[in-house]
Amino acid sequence: APVLNQWFRTNYRDVSTGFASTTTAAITTTEARSGNGSVEMSLTSAAGKVDYAYIWGFQPGRTLANLTGLSYDWYRQGTSTNPGNQQPAMRLLIDADGSEATATDRGYLVWEQAYQADPTVLADQWVSSNALTGNFWQRRFTPGTTVEVYDLNLQEWLAGASPAGALVLGQSTAILGLEFGIGSGWAGSFRGFVDNVTYAFGTLPSTTFNFETVATRVPEPAGLALAGLALAGLAAGQRRRARRAATC
């Protein structure tokens, strides 16, 4: 279920064989872009799909017109056997009229490397994508419609581009969150990673998510000294008790 202001796994489809899951998504240390972790994503079945989402809901100023930053780092492992132009996609969750009172005008704007001026998807290396400058296609939730127009950028959507069946967007279109994911009809297997997801609105500082694993805290020198004193006191107490026992 959606949890505001917290990353969560969603849109999960899996075809399991025994105890082996064929679709996975988790923060691991396998291939970190920076720090010690990234989101590792894999699937082995065309039926598989999984997304990582971060939802903030309706927030003042978080509109399509005010979006000033959107980027992420991704990695496609060369052992993947799905079509070579597929990599983790980036999506914006949108509400066309910007009103919480209407819920039938929501959908995604989707960025994929395959629909950019240079559609090359590099394997076995990290790629940094500035999605703000590229082309987006649209997925409308009600009715469930994929708008098969893949060469419109955000400025064209903002100006009211209206392909058949699409939500017409504008200055007040709200961005409710973002997500990245793999799958939905991909043929073959895929393994890859995502890190350093960044967004910004207006002149406010950008927000970057660097997916890290929990590290064991190393005590500071002062903490180690206190621990040493405590152990020394414990040892001294044990010696005193031993001497008393010997004299009884």
Side-chain angles (χ1 to χ4, degrees):
V3 180
L4 291 182
N5 301 308
Q6 180 177 314
W7 285 99
F8 62 96
R9 192 178 70 174
T10 186
N11 299 326
Y12 182 76
R13 293 204 303 268
D14 179 38
V15 180
S16 297
T17 303
F19 293 103
S21 177
T22 61
T23 304
T24 63
I27 298 173
T28 71
T29 60
T30 306
E31 189 70 54
R33 171 61 159 171
S34 57
N36 69 1
S38 64
V39 178
E40 181 173 353
M41 315 185 85
S42 67
L43 56 82
T44 59
S45 166
K49 176 178 173 55
V50 65
D51 299 323
Y52 250 52
Y54 190 91
I55 309 299
W56 51 73
F58 288 88
Q59 296 289 333
R62 296 195 176 187
T63 63
L64 185 59
N66 209 27
L67 183 68
T68 54
L70 183 66
S71 63
Y72 69 125
D73 297 340
W74 52 268
Y75 185 109
R76 174 189 166 94
Q77 189 163 290
T79 56
S80 303
T81 62
N82 64 312
N85 64 349
Q86 293 174 337
Q87 43 75 237
M90 172 65 72
R91 305 184 192 94
L92 294 173
L93 176 61
I94 56 172
D95 182 282
D97 66 2
S99 172
E100 196 169 358
T102 56
T104 60
D105 60 340
R106 295 175 189 169
Y108 290 132
L109 285 176
V110 186
W111 189 97
E112 294 182 80
Q113 182 69 32
Y115 303 118
Q116 309 312 312
D118 179 3
T120 305
V121 172
L122 301 174
D124 292 326
Q125 61 182 286
W126 281 100
V127 178
S128 297
S129 290
N130 179 9
L132 193 66
T133 61
N135 296 323
F136 287 75
W137 56 274
Q138 189 186 118
R139 172 70 180 171
R140 184 173 184 169
F141 296 163
T142 307
T145 303
T146 297
V147 181
E148 295 185 355
V149 176
Y150 302 101
D151 59 354
L152 294 173
N153 60 38
L154 289 182
Q155 291 305 312
E156 290 170 313
W157 284 113
L158 185 60
S162 54
L167 294 166
V168 178
L169 312 181
Q171 296 286 320
S172 60
T173 295
I175 299 178
L176 309 180
L178 52 79
E179 66 182 53
F180 55 87
I182 61 173
S184 190
W186 287 14
S189 65
F190 174 85
R191 190 183 187 202
F193 307 85
V194 172
D195 208 354
N196 297 329
V197 175
T198 300
Y199 70 84
F201 289 95
T203 59
L204 296 175
S206 63
T207 297
T208 297
F209 297 97
N210 179 19
F211 302 96
E212 299 294 85
T213 61
V214 177
T216 302
R217 184 176 179 274
V218 178
E220 296 179 2
L224 289 172
L226 289 173
L229 288 172
L231 290 173
L234 178 62
Q238 289 175 334
R239 287 195 297 271
R240 285 193 297 270
R241 286 193 296 272
R243 286 196 296 269
R244 285 197 300 268
T247 60
C248 291

